[in-house]
Amino acid sequence: MIDLATSLRRWGRLGLGLFALVLVTTGCDAFIDQDQSDPAPSSPTIAGYVQEVPALSALEGAVAEAGLVETLDTGGPFTVFAPLNDSISPAIDPSLNRQVVGKVVRHHVVNGEVTSDQLSDGQTVSPRAGDDLRIGVGENVTVNRATVTNPDANAQNGVVHVVGELLADAVDRATLTPRFTLFARLVKEAGPGLESALRSSGANAGRTIFAPTNEALLSLLDSNNNGSLENSEIPSGADGILRYHVHDNALKASDFPAADTTISSLQGTNLVINGGDGVTVNPSNEGAGVTIPNVEVDNGVIHGIDAVLTP
């Protein structure tokens, strides 16, 4: 049996041409303008590579919005962990916050060229923004919570590893997700303590965050029904209410049993979860349904819910 390190080194030798073919055969329509019969196609820059692969168009838009095209075209060498479009669900909108999208893009970029055979289990690498990225090497290669699905695509100014998730903490992810923007705003306005808590992994290497959608927050708080949330409509105890939406352990929807189960919250009051016919939070009270499950982030998982929870 070929071990993981050997298979990854083979990927490195085969480089960009085979990587493009893999994307095509898996339905990604990569390099539609490139002659696939060319056994040694010329490698573009990292910026050009991202632009040429349709399956990376979400990253391309984020790079452009952040004003980093020239950096990834002329700078380097870099190592870029590139999320495929299908792995960014729900989709982000880079235009929501240029500063944050710039930080998130730079969080995927490491100075220097690091190929897969140079990665080791437990290693950390420092991106151009944000906390260090944690590498795992086992059955799969992982970067934080994301799996490397296609390693070692060679570019003129570095190497690209495709990953199965957007690398961002919960606050930055919510800030760039159209249906979570009000939740992100409330977290930031509640003060640095809560924001820091939702950027950290907590005591159990990850948090579960039940994030009310914009619609849920407006339904409860928009007292004048003008479709926006004004400062006067934000409750004074918002910090405690938001902490009630956070559990100090990373749980996916499939982890919840099909019966009422009590879990703790950062606020101190317990939540009741039922994973039966779809996940419901506090079924006897708010009955908040999980409508956007399993949004994985660097420090846990977000579940979008259709009602606000009150302790």
Side-chain angles (χ1 to χ4, degrees):
M1 179 178 294
I2 299 173
D3 63 20
L4 177 62
T6 301
S7 65
L8 290 177
R9 283 194 291 271
R10 289 184 178 179
W11 268 106
R13 292 195 297 269
L14 290 173
L16 184 61
L18 182 55
F19 177 78
L21 178 60
V22 169
L23 288 180
V24 170
T25 57
T26 55
C28 294
D29 293 327
F31 292 101
I32 58 175
D33 295 326
Q34 173 131 356
D35 181 2
Q36 295 296 321
S37 66
D38 184 352
S42 60
S43 298
T45 65
I46 290 174
Y49 172 75
V50 171
Q51 292 166 355
E52 289 183 21
V53 180
L56 297 176
S57 61
L59 177 61
E60 178 189 1
V63 169
E65 186 68 34
L68 294 172
V69 174
E70 183 176 359
T71 298
L72 296 181
D73 192 47
T74 61
F78 299 122
T79 298
V80 174
F81 298 98
L84 290 171
N85 296 346
D86 290 347
S87 70
I88 306 176
S89 179
I92 64 170
D93 181 351
S95 68
L96 287 171
N97 191 309
R98 190 175 189 185
Q99 180 179 1
V100 171
V101 80
K103 174 191 171 186
V104 169
V105 170
R106 291 193 299 273
H107 190 55
H108 292 73
V109 180
V110 176
N111 289 332
E113 184 172 326
V114 183
T115 58
S116 58
D117 59 355
Q118 296 173 315
L119 300 174
S120 59
D121 190 46
Q123 177 184 2
T124 59
V125 295
S126 298
R128 290 172 63 90
D131 295 334
D132 285 352
L133 302 173
R134 302 176 305 279
I135 305 298
V137 177
E139 182 178 350
N140 297 298
V141 176
T142 58
V143 183
N144 288 353
R145 294 178 180 274
T147 298
V148 176
T149 58
N150 296 97
D152 297 329
N154 296 322
Q156 290 179 17
N157 58 336
V159 63
V160 177
H161 305 294
V162 170
V163 294
E165 294 167 21
L166 183 72
L167 304 178
D169 66 43
V171 178
D172 288 343
R173 182 62 161 98
T175 299
L176 298 177
T177 304
R179 295 187 67 189
F180 293 154
T181 54
L182 288 181
F183 177 77
R185 173 189 162 190
L186 291 177
V187 167
K188 294 171 184 177
E189 293 183 359
L194 178 60
E195 182 175 353
S196 176
L198 296 194
R199 292 188 187 277
S200 70
S201 58
N204 296 304
R207 300 191 191 277
T208 300
I209 301 167
F210 297 102
T213 61
N214 290 354
E215 297 89 341
L217 286 164
L218 288 173
S219 177
L220 178 69
L221 301 177
D222 183 19
S223 57
N224 60 10
N225 295 314
N226 67 350
S228 64
L229 190 59
E230 299 169 7
N231 289 337
S232 61
E233 295 172 324
I234 299 174
S236 58
D239 180 272
I241 293 172
L242 294 171
R243 288 178 183 272
Y244 185 56
H245 290 72
V246 183
H247 171 62
D248 195 13
N249 201 354
L251 300 173
K252 293 186 178 181
S254 59
D255 294 327
F256 297 118
D260 286 1
T261 303
T262 299
I263 63 173
S264 60
S265 77
L266 289 188
Q267 184 268 347
T269 306
N270 288 337
L271 297 162
V272 177
I273 311 294
N274 190 305
D277 186 16
V279 178
T280 304
V281 188
N282 289 352
S284 298
N285 297 309
E286 296 87 7
V290 171
T291 56
I292 308 174
N294 301 332
V295 184
E296 294 202 57
V297 291
D298 279 354
N299 59 322
V301 59
I302 300 173
H303 301 293
I305 56 176
D306 60 8
V308 179
L309 308 174
T310 54

